[in-house]
Every structure is written in structure tokens, then in C-alpha cells.
Amino acid sequence: LLQITVKDIEDFEKSYKGSEEELADIKAAYMDFEGDMDRIMESVLCVDYTDEPRIRQILEQAIDAGEVPSHKAFVKESKQKMTARKRRVEKEAKEAEKTKDELGLGGEDDLKALIQSRNKDRKKEMDDFLAQLEAKYGSNAKKGGRKPAAKKGK
């Protein structure tokens, strides 16, 4: 069983940001979503709204260099849409922080405990579901079985 720690994620993020791989992912997302910054920001790994100016600059340089075509959705994006995206992300971050506090999550051990408790709940739900199926369909094995094919007369 491979253990992934918060440190592993932070190390990956440090090595990924500014790498050739990130550059390729940003350009691919730009092409896939035809310049839609909302979808680009959602799809690129390790990116939050504070990275948007950096992402935008990377894409503008790629457009100027002719590496990617100029998409109207990117070039002519309104200030209003940018502001709405920023507000939405900030709201989501506040909600995530609130949920984290409500669940009492602080460190890695708390997260591990939460995941384990959720797994126990899922296992119980699955066991209950299987018990219901067994009660409904498992009581009489003959019921609903295949009937022998009727013999055709000559």
C-alpha cells in the first residue's frame, strides 16, 4: 500500500509549477477548451486563482510565438467574467475552510481518520444493500429460473 503524504503533494507541486510538463498541460487545456479560462483554471493541476496572472502570461506568450492560435474566448474575456471567477473561487475556499473546521480536520491524522470512518460507513451501507438483495432474491433459488424449452411436436 502506497502512502501519499501532504509533503509528497507539496513536493510534486513545487517540481510541477514552472516545468515543461505544466507548460504543455496549460497549452493543451487552452486548445481543448478553446481559450475558456474558467475551464482551463479548473483542469490544470496544482493551480489556484492566484496563479491566473501567470497562466494568462504563459498563454499570451504562446499566442505571440504562434505556438497556439488566438481564441476569442481568451483574448476578449470580460473583466466581469474574471471577477466572477475570482469571487466564486474565494467563496469555495471559505466553504472548504468552514467544512474543515466543522469536521475538526487539522492535520494528516484527522484526514486519515475521516477517510477511514467514511470507508466504514460505505462498507456498512454495502453490507446492508447486499442483505436487502439477499432477502429479496436469495430466499428461493428455484424462483425465476429458466424454464425448460417446450418440445416441438412432429
Side-chain angles (χ1 to χ4, degrees):
L1 184 67
L2 182 65
Q3 292 274 326
I4 295 177
T5 64
V6 172
K7 187 181 180 325
D8 293 335
I9 294 169
E10 288 169 352
D11 289 346
F12 171 75
E13 190 172 338
K14 282 178 193 159
S15 68
Y16 180 74
K17 281 191 175 182
S19 70
E20 286 296 317
E21 185 182 1
E22 184 194 40
L23 197 61
D25 290 347
I26 291 168
K27 290 177 190 174
Y30 174 82
M31 296 298 290
D32 290 346
F33 304 124
E34 296 178 352
D36 182 343
M37 273 305 276
D38 285 341
R39 296 181 68 194
I40 293 168
M41 293 298 291
E42 286 171 9
S43 70
V44 177
L45 295 174
C46 304
V47 166
D48 64 29
Y49 74 95
T50 59
D51 292 307
E52 185 171 336
R54 184 175 66 85
I55 303 294
R56 193 167 275 286
Q57 184 180 15
I58 289 168
L59 289 171
E60 285 167 357
Q61 287 172 350
I63 291 168
D64 292 345
E67 296 169 15
V68 293
S70 175
H71 284 295
K72 188 178 175 187
F74 177 78
V75 180
K76 300 220 187 292
E77 184 179 50
S78 69
K79 199 83 174 151
Q80 191 176 4
K81 190 175 176 192
M82 277 185 214
T83 309
R85 179 172 46 252
K86 185 178 177 186
R87 266 199 224 112
R88 184 175 62 245
V89 171
E90 286 172 344
K91 183 181 171 203
E92 287 170 2
K94 282 180 189 164
E95 287 173 2
E97 195 61 39
K98 184 179 169 193
T99 303
K100 187 175 154 186
D101 292 343
E102 285 172 2
L103 294 172
L105 294 176
E108 259 182 69
D109 293 336
D110 293 339
L111 182 59
K112 202 181 291 182
L114 178 69
I115 291 169
Q116 287 170 343
S117 77
R118 288 237 172 106
N119 283 344
K120 282 180 193 161
D121 292 345
R122 285 194 190 104
K123 184 181 181 330
K124 186 182 180 328
E125 286 172 15
M126 193 62 174
D127 290 346
D128 291 348
F129 174 71
L130 292 173
Q132 286 175 342
L133 284 177
E134 200 173 304
K136 187 172 181 180
Y137 298 107
S139 60
N140 187 353
K142 295 264 185 205
K143 197 182 223 180
R146 247 177 180 237
K147 292 180 182 172
K151 291 184 181 177
K152 291 183 180 174
K154 288 184 183 178

